[in-house]
Amino acid sequence: MSVSVLDIQLESVDRAVAIDVGTSLLQNDPDSPFHSVVDDQDMIDERCLLILADIEGPELRTTARVGFCTVRVCDEFVELYRFYVAPHFRRLGIARKTLALLSEYVSNEGFTDFYIEATKKEALEFWVVAAEDFAVFPAGHMKWRLSFAPEDLQSREQS
């Protein structure tokens, strides 16, 4: 029996708690591309959401905080600034399920899309797989807009 993810939730907790949990996850991953969970820029509404997964495997059933995503919310757009899943929880479909939840979160903010930036080849390969359920549009050098607007998804399917 392999490990499987039964459920995923985005957990909105106190900012300090989210940063502590995210920092702890990063400290256990020497290969992480991130040095911090947030940048703490005063001009930007930067929110950190924890990824909570219900996981089942051989002799194991647990709910754990397995990653985080940091979003920047502006008047005109939302940017998925950091997206992190701890190494031992990767390749279980967590990213794809989390992106679906993130689209609900962004929708509640009044948006139908969000932006990402992938500056490394590995990141781009990750996003190609993780964003399969979105319409993806170039938005500048190494930047993309992931849309979950019905008209964008419909036009993508017709292409």
Side-chain angles (χ1 to χ4, degrees), residues 50-152:
L50 298 177
I51 302 168
L52 189 66
D54 188 11
I55 300 166
E56 183 177 59
E59 301 177 31
L60 166 78
R61 173 82 190 257
T62 188
T63 300
R65 292 171 169 159
V66 299
F68 64 87
C69 50
T70 303
V71 293
R72 291 179 167 178
V73 181
C74 303
D75 291 338
E76 298 86 29
F77 66 91
V78 174
E79 177 186 18
L80 178 52
Y81 188 65
R82 291 197 171 99
F83 190 88
Y84 178 82
V85 175
H88 48 287
F89 295 110
R90 293 179 185 159
R91 302 201 180 282
L92 298 174
I94 291 172
R96 203 165 165 192
K97 292 174 184 175
T98 301
L99 285 177
L101 292 174
L102 189 61
S103 68
E104 292 175 26
Y105 180 85
V106 168
S107 179
N108 290 336
E109 294 292 323
F111 296 94
T112 58
D113 52 30
F114 53 91
Y115 291 84
I116 62 166
E117 181 176 9
T119 57
K120 295 183 179 178
K121 181 183 176 205
E122 298 83 7
L124 184 56
E125 291 169 355
F126 162 80
W127 284 112
V128 165
V129 174
E132 282 182 341
D133 297 331
F134 293 82
V136 180
F137 303 96
H141 181 69
M142 305 303 287
K143 294 185 180 187
W144 289 269
R145 178 174 63 93
L146 277 60
S147 176
F148 48 92
E151 61 273 9
D152 287 338

Side-chain angles (χ1 to χ4, degrees), residues 8 12 22 32 37 49 60 98 109-110 136:
I8 296 285
S12 183
S32 170
V37 177
L49 304 167
L60 166 78
T98 301
E109 294 292 323
V136 180

